[in-house]
Structures are given as C-alpha cells and as structure tokens.
C-alpha cells in the first residue's frame, strides 16, 4: 500500500513539473529585415579636364591684300605658253630639239637612210667574171636586199648578216650594171651594207657602203674592155 502511495506522489510531482515547464514556453518573434532592392551601380567617370591651349604669343599676320599676294595665280605651263591642243606642245618641242641638233644632210641620211638612188661609179676591167660580196656593216637587224645585173634579178632576196656572202657574175662585153635594192630597213633602220667587187685574179675593183631607205637602190658599173 505504501508503494502505491509512493507511485501516486511521484506521478503527481511529474505532472506538476511538466505543467510549469509548459507554461514557461513563450514564442519568440523574429523581426523581419527589410531588404532593399539591388540597384545597378553606375560607374561615373570624372569629366575630362580640358587643358587650356598653350599660347606662345601673339602672331603678327601680314595683310595679304597689302603685300599683293592676292593676285590671281598664273596657270602652270612647262614652256610658259598655253596651247589648246597638247599635241602642239610636243610637236613644237620636237621641232625645237631637231633644230638644236643642226644635223647636216649627210647625218640625216645616215639616220633615216637615203631616199635617192646611190651611184658608186664605173670601173674598167678585162676579167671574165667578178665576185660581188656584201654584208651588214651595222647591227644585224634583218636587212634584206635584191641583186640585179643589167636589170635582171639574179638574187631575189638576200638576208644580210655579219659575214660576207656573195654571187659570181660573168661579165659581158661593155656595160655591166650591178644594182643592190633595199627591200626593207630592218628593225633599227636604215638598210645598211658594205660591198666589195673582186675580179677573177682577186684584185679589188671597188668597195663601198650604203645607208638606204626601203625601195632605194645602190649601183655600180663594170665596163668590160
């Protein structure tokens, strides 16, 4: 019986202690923390500081109108002369250069080639035949000739090179006219050649050179006695 009473007392004490603990429980209110909306921060650069221009002093600028520099500009001309057609300018200068050269007629012929037939004389011989040889005495540039005897063509086209080449011609009694006709002027012009005429005893009868324009001929006559 005592044991039962002890249990009842312990149980009562436990309930009393639990009730006190339960009454002591209080709710703790946590205040809400206001959060500010994040705003994008803008980086503000400091304004560039404008530097004052450096002044070296007051410059005295002359009055253009007072110095006469406001006169209209003269159009540029290479020869201080104006032409309506540019071709006239070059033609006049070329003519001036030619006049300054003061070339003799022989020098002009040397440059451009003779436009008149050349005659190198007549020679007497009692030989049965002659050997006529020729070559280009200038630059080998494609000069071509034709060889005729008494107006008969014996060599229609001969290309002149740096070495002698030729033809044997039987002499007829009387005149034997030998013609060298320039068929062109080559690349550098004019038609330039050197020729020699040798008899059957290897004696030199004649020799000479020519500078011919196209279509012009050089002639020599051998008179057989």
């Amino acid at each position: 019986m005592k044991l039962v009473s002890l249990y009842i007392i312990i149980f009562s004490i436990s309930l009393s202690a639990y009730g006190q603990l339960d009454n002591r429980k209080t709710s703790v209110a946590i205040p809400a923390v206001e959060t500010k909306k994040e705003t994008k921060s803008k980086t503000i650069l400091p304004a560039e500081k404008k530097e004052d221009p450096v002044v070296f002093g007051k410059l005295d600028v002359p009055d253009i109108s007072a110095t006469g520099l406001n006169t209209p500009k003269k159009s540029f001309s290479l020869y201080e002369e104006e032409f309506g057609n540019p071709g006239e300018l070059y033609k006049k200068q070329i003519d001036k250069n030619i006049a300054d050269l003061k070339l003799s007629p022989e020098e002009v012929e040397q440059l451009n080639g003779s436009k008149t037939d050349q005659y190198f004389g007549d020679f007497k011989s009692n030989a049965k035949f002659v050997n006529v040889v020729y070559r280009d005495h200038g630059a080998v540039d494609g000069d071509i000739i034709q060889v005729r005897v008494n107006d008969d063509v014996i060599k229609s086209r001969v290309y002149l090179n740096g070495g002698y080449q030729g033809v044997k011609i039987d002499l007829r009694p009387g005149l034997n006219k030998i013609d060298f006709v320039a068929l062109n002027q080559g690349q550098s012009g004019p038609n330039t050649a050197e020729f020699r005429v040798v008899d059957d005893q290897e004696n030199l009868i004649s020799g000479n050179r020519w500078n011919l324009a196209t279509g012009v001929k050089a002639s020599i006559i051998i008179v057989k006695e």
Side-chain angles (χ1 to χ4, degrees), residues 127-168:
K128 293 181 180 180
F129 64 87
V130 293
N131 288 313
V132 181
V133 295
Y134 29 74
R135 69 182 182 92
D136 194 333
H137 73 77
V140 179
D141 57 349
D143 290 340
I144 300 174
I145 65 170
Q146 184 180 88
V147 183
R148 303 173 184 173
V149 177
N150 293 330
D151 297 328
D152 294 330
V153 177
I154 60 173
K155 290 288 184 179
S156 59
R157 291 177 64 87
V158 178
Y159 176 85
L160 298 177
N161 52 41
Y164 281 108
Q165 56 183 313
V167 59
K168 177 183 175 182

Side-chain angles (χ1 to χ4, degrees), residues 28-49:
V28 179
I30 300 174
V33 178
E34 293 183 1
T35 59
K36 295 182 180 181
K37 294 182 179 180
E38 296 182 359
T39 58
K40 295 182 180 180
S41 61
K42 296 182 179 180
T43 303
I44 301 176
L45 299 176
E48 295 182 359
K49 182 179 179 181

